[in-house]
């Protein structure tokens, strides 16, 4: 029987396997950031261990960095300590780091692909759950905890049990105005936040193949919101073209590409589960609740919990509506927004900024709405400025910031106030995710832009 | 990091009747700024603890060491701080019918035992500890059972993880015994695989 893409990559990385034990998996690349690494380096130091492969490790500062006045000392002493700790650890252990102000600083999952070190057929880990983003290149990429970060630093391997495989086929073609973000929000609404648990998802079908690399990254990014360990997409010519010319593209490109071309699911391979979605009928999608599975097409209304059969889900919906300050039956398009956040590792790449800029160009932001535009990396910011996008956003009335995670997780000063409501291109709408008491609606960059113009949840078609 | 052996734990339990308890609820991001593994207890369920009626604030549940939660516990981020916060607060065991994968991996690596029981069993424990918060519950890794009063429920845990927890073994130490296998794997890695050093821009 043939093999799935995930099985092929997995098997190429097994260092050792034994009955009743997890496989020992070789890790091709570890990405490191300030929030989940300090305790790992500390563990190494205490045990007198070294980093086995500094040349397969790279660090950047993103989660906790300011997006204003980035060259001044960081105001919050605790954040400063965390950043300083990472810088010292990188120096002590000989790890490449891209610090604030550096051209390659930015959200860890934007930085890897733009440097060309994210390539097909790799195993990639990071102490961050959205590591699944890199799966867009046909890699097995997943988030790990700090103890595992330490384990990979020390051994360049990780004991892991082999996940099951799930195929999600998105057939057909997306309508104009429907994006990768809408695909993944619709998938999560369908299979639930636990639907992918224990699986690696392979996204397939014509609607997936038609996506740009940026769009594929958006889809894979939110695999974790569906509960999956990782998500991936078979590499194709688009993938190869994207990597070509990037700083760390393989010197022997031909040899690499020859291997990459073997990375697809065999026609006689079997997935443990297969799900199919019709791409032709997808609509712009938004979330109304406090988990990413609580989403609906933008044309729908806030659901009535009383109509939900499952008692757990009903309870969750009731709590969500209360937290979100929403009434059942309200058309989603009537929901007024205070803040629009365009950024994050889900939708903070150049293509996302271009798409939003095209919608708002020449228009003015709705009164009382603030819009934060936070490029995913410094390189994205530079590129956007080269194209004059910063001017478009500033003329519109948005704020143009430096790169980082920013309001995606509200760890730095970019936060929602209590009761404030956002339309956000990020990936999590948990209670308090963007600031204590803040209310988040997850949207695509196009919906974010249209919402900033109208002040209520909208798509460009409503303009 | 070396960890404590886990063989058996007896204590009282706290009912957390919520599903989808995500890592931002377990410990909000603003509490993640410490560079040590201790002191995270103040961030545990920080938003909910502002509510005086929240279960952790109720005096009868003050000394609980076993958390009994709804399904999908630990969804969201990979932050191991969620495990540390629970441990720093004093929890030894979390029981739920479903855990998010990364959280579960983190917990079992760090010595916080996460026990999966069927939802009916979770509901039964909730009822019992709500009626009598002083109910003593024993979680035994030797026999892989949770027991209280006259009830005993078996749970699954793979032999390898159980052995590691019972011996308190550090994963890194275990892997380093196979350095030879890692060396020979590395010797065969193709040259086109990317490296972060030397830096190319
Ligand atoms: S942008 Fe958001 S989701 Fe992505 S790495 Fe940063 S905090 Fe995590």
């Amino acid at each position: 029987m043939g093999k799935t893409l995930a099985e092929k990559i997995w098997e190429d990385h097994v260092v050792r396997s034994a009955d009743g034990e997890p496989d020992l998996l070789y890790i091709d690349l570890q990405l490191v950031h300030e929030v989940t690494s300090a305790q790992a380096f500390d563990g190494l130091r205490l045990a007198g261990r070294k980093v086995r492969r500094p040349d397969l490790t790279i660090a950047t500062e993103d989660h906790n960095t300011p997006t204003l006045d980035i060259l001044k000392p960081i105001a919050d002493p605790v954040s400063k300590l965390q950043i300083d700790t990472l810088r010292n650890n990188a120096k002590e252990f000989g790890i490449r780091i891209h610090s604030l102000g550096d051209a390659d600083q930015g959200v860890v999952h934007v930085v890897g692909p733009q440097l060309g070190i994210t390539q097909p057929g790799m195993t990639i880990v990071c102490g961050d759950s959205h590591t699944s983003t890199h799966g867009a290149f046909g890699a097995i990429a997943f988030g790990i905890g700090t103890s595992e970060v330490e384990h990979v630093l020390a051994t360049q391997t990780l004991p892991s049990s082999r996940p099951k495989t799930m195929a999600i086929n998105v057939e057909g073609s997306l309508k104009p105005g429907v994006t990768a973000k809408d695909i993944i929000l619709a998938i999560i609404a369908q299979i639930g936040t636990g639907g992918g648990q224990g699986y690696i998802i392979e996204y397939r079908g014509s609607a997936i193949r038609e996506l740009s690399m940026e769009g594929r990254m958006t889809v894979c990014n939110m695999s974790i919101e569906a509960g999956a360990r990782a998500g991936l997409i078979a590499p194709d010519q688009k993938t190869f073209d994207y990597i070509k010319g990037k700083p760390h593209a393989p010197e022997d490109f031909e040899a690499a590409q020859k291997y990459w071309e073997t990375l697809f699911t065999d026609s006689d391979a079997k997935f443990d589960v297969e799900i199919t979605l019709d791409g032709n009928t997808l609509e712009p999608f938004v979330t109304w609740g406090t988990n990413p599975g609580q989403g609906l097409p933008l044309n729908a209304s806030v659901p009535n919990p009383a109509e939900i059969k499952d008692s757990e889900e009903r309870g969750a919906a009731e709590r969500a509506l209360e937290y979100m300050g929403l009434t059942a039956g309200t058309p989603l398009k009537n929901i007024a927004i205070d803040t629009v956040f365009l950024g994050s590792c889900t939708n903070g790449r150049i293509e996302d900024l271009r798409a939003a800029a095209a919608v708002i160009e020449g228009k003015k932001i709705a009164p009382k709405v603030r819009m934060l535009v936070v490029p995913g990396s410094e390189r994205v910011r530079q590129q956007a400025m080269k194209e004059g996008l910063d001017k478009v956003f500033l003329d519109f009335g948005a704020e143009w910031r430096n790169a980082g995670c920013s309001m995606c997780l509200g760890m730095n000063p970019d936060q929602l106030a209590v009761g404030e409501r956002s339309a956000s291109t990020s990936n999590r709408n948990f209670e308090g995710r963007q600031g204590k008491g803040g209310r988040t609606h997850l949207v695509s960059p196009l919906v974010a832009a249209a919402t900033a113009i109208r002040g209520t949840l909208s798509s460009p078609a409503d303009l | 990091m070396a960890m404590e052996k886990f063989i058996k734990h007896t204590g009282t339990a706290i009912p957390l009747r919520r599903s989808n308890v995500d890592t931002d609820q377990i410990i909000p991001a603003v509490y993640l700024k410490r560079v040590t593994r201790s002191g995270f207890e103040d961030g545990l369920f920080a938003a909910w603890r502002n509510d005086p009626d929240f279960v952790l604030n109720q005096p009868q549940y003050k000394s609980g060491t076993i958390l009994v939660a709804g399904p999908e516990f630990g969804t969201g981020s990979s932050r191991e701080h969620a495990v540390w916060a629970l441990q720093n607060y004093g929890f030894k065991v979390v029981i739920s019918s479903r855990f998010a994968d990364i959280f579960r991996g983190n917990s079992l690596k760090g010595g916080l035992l996460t026990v999966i029981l069927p939802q009916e069993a979770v509901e039964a424990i909730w009822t019992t500890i709500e009626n009598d918060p002083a109910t003593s519950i024993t979680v035994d890794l030797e026999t892989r059972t949770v027991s209280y009063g006259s009830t005993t429920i078996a749970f699954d845990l793979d032999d390898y993880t159980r052995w590691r927890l019972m011996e308190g073994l550090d994963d890194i130490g275990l892997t380093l015994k196979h350095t030879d296998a890692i060396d020979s794997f590395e010797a065969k890695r193709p040259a086109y695989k990317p490296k972060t050093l030397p830096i190319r821009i």
Side-chain angles (χ1 to χ4, degrees), chain A residues 26 39 52 96 146-147 198, chain B residues 32 36 80 101 183 186 196:
Chain A
Y26 196 83
Q39 293 87 353
R52 182 179 171 98
R96 169 175 178 182
T146 301
S147 303
Chain B
L32 305 183
T36 59
E80 199 161 323
D101 287 342
D183 290 343
E186 272 181 344
T196 57

Side-chain angles (χ1 to χ4, degrees), chain B residues 54-193:
Chain B
F54 180 60
V55 62
L56 257 62
N57 292 331
Q58 298 174 19
Q60 68 272 32
Y61 294 118
K62 267 274 168 299
S63 53
T65 51
I66 301 170
L67 185 68
V68 188
E72 312 301 347
F73 189 85
T75 63
S77 108
S78 62
R79 58 185 73 151
E80 199 161 323
H81 312 68
V83 171
W84 301 332
L86 288 158
Q87 288 178 318
N88 293 165
Y89 186 88
F91 286 111
K92 304 282 184 211
V93 180
V94 184
I95 298 177
S96 166
S97 63
R98 272 171 86 98
F99 291 95
D101 287 342
I102 303 184
F103 176 81
R104 177 146 163 97
N106 285 343
S107 68
L108 295 174
K109 287 217 153 85
L112 174 72
L113 181 60
T114 40
V115 173
I116 302 176
L117 292 184
Q119 187 59 27
E120 307 85 70
V122 171
E123 309 256 353
I125 301 178
W126 277 341
T127 312
T128 306
I129 57 183
E130 279 164 359
N131 289 335
D132 179 9
T135 306
S136 156
I137 299 187
T138 297
V139 180
D140 189 337
L141 209 46
E142 182 86 56
T143 56
R144 283 179 263 214
T145 56
V146 174
S147 50
Y148 57 97
S150 59
T151 310
T152 299
I153 320 152
F155 63 85
D156 267 344
L157 187 69
D158 66 274
D159 293 339
Y160 179 77
T161 308
R162 171 171 167 265
W163 165 75
R164 257 191 46 241
L165 286 168
M166 291 182 68
E167 300 286 327
L169 286 175
D170 157 25
D171 259 346
I172 299 180
L174 286 172
T175 298
L176 287 174
K177 292 193 185 141
H178 304 297
T179 305
D180 286 355
I182 304 175
D183 290 343
S184 50
F185 184 93
E186 272 181 344
K188 284 185 287 189
R189 284 180 82 234
Y192 54 73
K193 291 268 179 181

Side-chain angles (χ1 to χ4, degrees), chain A residues 225-239:
Chain A
E225 271 64 49
R229 197 75 213 273
L232 43 63
I233 295 172
D236 58 12
Q237 196 56 44
K238 263 186 217 173
T239 320

Side-chain angles (χ1 to χ4, degrees), chain A residues 161-331:
Chain A
S161 9
R162 191 180 284 237
K164 292 174 286 181
T165 57
M166 176 187 286
I168 298 187
N169 305 303
V170 190
E171 298 297 349
S173 288
L174 301 181
K175 287 188 281 204
V178 181
T179 66
K181 184 66 164 281
D182 304 305
I183 296 184
I184 189 66
L185 286 175
I187 289 173
I188 302 165
Q190 179 171 334
I191 71 173
T193 53
Q197 222 168 75
Y199 292 96
I200 291 189
I201 299 176
E202 182 180 338
Y203 302 96
R204 299 153 60 86
S206 53
I208 298 292
R209 284 193 300 274
E210 283 167 14
L211 293 175
S212 64
M213 287 314 295
E214 283 89 348
R216 294 177 189 184
M217 285 189 249
T218 302
V219 170
C220 289
N221 173 276
M222 289 189 73
S223 302
I224 185 76
E225 271 64 49
R229 197 75 213 273
L232 43 63
I233 295 172
D236 58 12
Q237 196 56 44
K238 263 186 217 173
T239 320
F240 312 149
D241 292 345
Y242 187 95
I243 296 169
K244 209 166 213 156
K246 295 273 188 301
H248 283 271
E251 266 156 15
D252 189 351
F253 203 91
E254 231 171 277
Q257 184 166 335
K258 221 171 128 204
Y259 168 58
W260 298 346
E261 283 169 352
T262 67
L263 298 172
F264 55 85
T265 291
D266 296 329
S267 55
D268 56 343
K270 258 195 84 63
F271 290 93
D272 295 302
V273 179
E274 276 206 59
I275 290 170
T276 299
L277 231 77
D278 182 4
N280 295 318
T281 56
L282 282 180
E283 295 285 334
F285 232 77
V286 300
T287 61
W288 51 267
T290 53
N291 76 55
Q294 292 173 322
L296 280 170
L298 182 58
N299 286 323
S301 299
V302 176
N304 185 352
E307 289 165 10
I308 300 177
K309 287 202 187 69
D310 182 276
S311 71
E312 271 303 328
E313 261 180 55
R314 182 166 58 241
E318 279 164 1
R319 272 188 56 78
L321 290 197
E322 191 191 324
Y323 180 85
M324 294 295 288
L326 294 175
T327 320
T330 310

Side-chain angles (χ1 to χ4, degrees), chain A residues 326-340:
Chain A
L326 294 175
T327 320
T330 310
L332 293 170
K333 285 192 179 166
N334 289 2
I335 296 173
I337 297 294
D338 306 299
T339 295
V340 173

Side-chain angles (χ1 to χ4, degrees), chain A residues 63 107 109 128 130 344-345 405 408-409 427 433:
Chain A
H63 280 66
V107 183
H109 311 309
D128 183 280
H130 291 99
S344 85
C345 60
C405 295
C408 176
L409 89 165
N427 45 48
R433 167 79 176 182

Side-chain angles (χ1 to χ4, degrees), chain A residues 350 378 380-390 400:
Chain A
I350 187 69
E378 175 61 16
V380 170
R381 198 176 80 95
Q382 296 294 346
Q383 177 64 29
M385 294 197 305
K386 220 188 275 167
E387 297 175 22
L389 303 184
D390 56 328
W400 177 250

